[in-house]
Each structure stands twice: as C-alpha cells, then as structure tokens.
Amino acid sequence: GDSVTQMEGPVTLSEEAFLTINCTYTATGYPSLFWYVQYPGEGLQLLLKATKADDKGSNKGFEATYRKETTSFHLEKGSVQVSDSAVYFCALKNQGGKLIFGQGTELSVKP
Amino acid sequence: DVKVTQSSRYLVKRTGEKVFLECVQDMDHENMFWYRQDPGLGLRLIYFSYDVKMKEKGDIPEGYSVSREKKERFSLILESASTNQTSMYLCASRSTGNTNYGYTFGSGTRLTVV
C-alpha cells in the first residue's frame, strides 16, 4: 500500500545550522506531497506542498522538491531558528484522496 | 482563516466510559476526518466523512464510531474507552473543491484513559 517514510528523530541542531529532513514515499500514480508542522501543544499546520514532479514547495524559508525519480520530498532550510523547533510530518495524498502521513520527525534547535 | 475547533484540549476518562470528542469547522467544508497521533506512528486515520450523514472507516476504526448530523460538526465516539485508546486525537477538514490543498487541523484533544 501507499506509505511515507521519514528520517527518525529527534534531530538537534544549533541555531543557523542547515536542516535536512529526509522523506521518501511509495505510491501508485502521481500523489500530491505535503509537509506539515506541529508546534508544541498545537495541531498540524500545512507548511508547503507540491502537486507534480519537479515542483518546489516553499514557505518560511523551508523548501522541498518533488523528485519522482527518487520518490523523495526532502525538507530543507538554510538557517534554522529556535522558533523552528517542532515536529515535522511528511504526507502524501494518494489517488483515492486519502492523506497518508509519515511518523513525524522532531526538530530541536538550540540557541 | 478556516477554523477547526476541538472542544477539549485535555480529557481524562475511566476505562469503560463512553467518550465523545467534538469537532466543529466554520468554513462549510464537506470533508472531515479523525486521526489519532501516537509517537513513532505518525497520524492514523480512524474515520472520515465526505458529507452530512456519510461516514467511512479509515485504517483503524475498531473501538470507535462517528456521527455527522450537521455539516459543521463531526463527533468521534469511544463506545467503551480502553487504556490503549490513550492518545492525541486530531480532527481535520477539507473542501471538496480544493483537493490539491492540504487539510486544516484542529489543535487536538489529548485523551488519557485510566
């Protein structure tokens, strides 16, 4: 079945470090891909999305590129801040319209 | 802004109790969803509803039921709560006309069953 796999956390970085959170997927057809962020004590918020191959989603300094050849959608940010500390979820929307989530990656940014 | 409101942030219930988790959205969305979130497992879909009075089982419906009597409200029911239902529950909604968009989530209800 369709699935999403993320790198395991927690990921701990110093402020201004470069961030990569890996995400790969398995799905039939051409799913849409998403990154959601969950700040402490809150629900999930959509961070960025990409709906077709080679699309790049971006928001708040975060970027991810839909790579069909490697079935990946890695999240990157050039310089993280303490306020980026959160749990990040990669997700796909499959042909049936179902949203399928990865297990989440906790990011902790230290000053 | 679309708002999805879950009535309780924290709940503590006893084993065997009937538990109602309420979710209300204010943007006339047709689709609503209930997920549970557990460490290391991500979000798993319990039930969803495409419209009023419609419901579909998700991936883990056992021990749960739902009710959608009005378009804006989607209730999750634990018929007889058990300790393995201790979890964070997240409600989400989406417009049928915007299927390439993500979902809008509520803030979650952290349920503890003792």
Side-chain angles (χ1 to χ4, degrees), chain A residues 32 34 36 38 40-46 49 51 87 89 93 96-104, chain B residues 9 35 37-38 40-43 45 50 58-59 88 90 94 99-108:
Chain A
S32 296
F34 305 87
Y36 281 84
Q38 184 180 34
E42 298 184 14
L44 274 69
Q45 302 173 25
L46 179 64
K49 66 178 177 70
T51 57
V87 180
F89 290 91
K93 186 172 70 69
K98 184 189 281 190
L99 197 60
I100 296 168
F101 288 87
Q103 72 269 39
Chain B
R9 291 297 295 270
Y35 290 86
Q37 180 184 0
D38 300 289
L41 296 176
L43 275 72
L45 182 63
Y50 284 134
D59 298 318
M88 169 73 93
L90 291 165
R94 182 191 71 182
T99 56
N100 272 334
Y101 247 100
Y103 299 4
T104 301
F105 281 84
S107 298

Side-chain angles (χ1 to χ4, degrees), chain B residues 32-64:
Chain B
M32 296 187 75
F33 307 83
W34 275 107
Y35 290 86
R36 64 177 283 176
Q37 180 184 0
D38 300 289
L41 296 176
L43 275 72
R44 292 179 291 167
L45 182 63
I46 304 171
Y47 265 97
F48 59 102
S49 169
Y50 284 134
D51 211 335
V52 178
K53 297 197 186 292
M54 296 178 67
K55 57 185 177 184
E56 298 283 343
K57 292 180 180 180
D59 298 318
I60 51 163
E62 296 78 21
Y64 303 94

